[in-house]
Amino acid sequence: MESAHYFSASPAGPFTRKPLTVDLAGETRTLQTSGGIFSPDGIDKGTAVLLAEVPAPSPSGNLLDIGCGWGPIALTMALKSPAAHVYAVDVNERCITLTNENAASLGLGNVTASMPEAVDPELRFDTIWSNPPIRIGKEELHSLLKLWIPRLAPGGSAWLVVQKNLGSDSLQRWLSQELDASFTVTREATAKSFRILRVRKASR
């Protein structure tokens, strides 16, 4: 499988860009992709469900895409909220390069893709969208979510899409137990074998 090692920092094989035509934020866009990343040939089913089901992101402030791939979530957030700043993180260097290049090709100056450690730890996020990398394993996934979800701004929401047979219900229970009382975890939608989970941070 071409993208089998998409969660490594430097995937094997040549970094060869190839064109990708997709619909984002209601328009057809021509972007770039490559091998060695997650879902290199288009928008995967989980991300498509997320983009179809969630409400518009905060129109201002800081927005976050956890596990950006070639950028479909981050680019959609930036297109929908041009006054906000979108941070996109991934451990795969190709994903960071492609997301930044795709943002530039769309004229989006409000996207910054980087390694997670490059994001200012003091930043707080008004909206988080993510198709989290479930296949990295439960322990790694939990560490990833514990790093980012507590960084929601007061009144902010994180929206996660998780396949039912890959543990969406157990993840919902874990989030409810792990996060403090200022957070509320709910299941907002079910579509095409995926669940949309929402984590809300109390306003104050």
Side-chain angles (χ1 to χ4, degrees):
M1 182 178 174
E2 189 178 20
S3 58
H5 300 293
Y6 62 83
F7 42 80
S8 62
S10 301
F15 183 6
T16 305
R17 293 167 179 79
K18 55 187 178 181
L20 176 68
T21 301
V22 292
D23 288 328
L24 289 179
E27 289 188 25
T28 300
R29 322 274 179 174
T30 300
L31 305 170
Q32 294 194 97
T33 182
S34 80
I37 67 170
F38 175 66
S39 192
D41 300 320
I43 299 174
D44 68 286
K45 290 179 182 177
T47 296
V49 167
L50 180 81
L51 296 177
E53 295 287 338
V54 299
S58 174
S60 60
N62 298 317
L63 316 180
L64 176 67
D65 171 14
I66 307 168
C68 61
W70 52 262
I73 292 174
L75 298 174
T76 299
M77 294 177 105
L79 289 162
K80 287 178 175 288
S81 298
H85 194 94
V86 180
Y87 292 84
V89 294
D90 207 294
V91 298
N92 185 322
E93 294 167 351
R94 288 184 194 179
C95 293
I96 294 166
T97 299
L98 288 166
T99 297
N100 282 322
E101 289 179 352
N102 285 332
S105 75
L106 295 177
L108 297 171
N110 60 332
V111 176
T112 302
S114 70
M115 291 286 186
E117 56 270 21
V119 178
D120 182 352
E122 298 302 314
L123 276 179
R124 294 296 175 264
F125 300 98
D126 299 279
T127 305
I128 297 174
W129 286 0
S130 181
N131 179 1
I134 299 295
R135 296 184 188 279
I136 60 176
K138 186 177 288 187
E139 191 173 325
E140 288 286 323
L141 175 68
H142 287 179
S143 294
L144 183 70
L145 296 177
K146 283 194 288 187
L147 174 66
W148 295 110
I149 300 298
R151 290 159 74 169
L152 278 170
S157 287
W159 300 83
L160 311 174
V161 62
V162 184
Q163 204 162 348
K164 284 190 285 188
N165 66 359
L166 292 179
S168 60
D169 294 347
S170 61
L171 183 64
Q172 181 182 350
R173 288 192 297 271
W174 176 82
L175 285 165
S176 297
Q177 294 161 2
E178 183 68 28
L179 297 168
D180 67 42
S182 67
F183 294 91
T184 305
V185 184
T186 54
R187 183 197 306 161
E188 293 292 315
T190 300
K192 298 180 181 176
S193 81
F194 291 90
R195 297 213 198 280
I196 302 286
L197 306 180
R198 181 184 186 185
V199 183
R200 278 175 283 192
K201 171 79 171 175
S203 296
R204 281 288 174 260

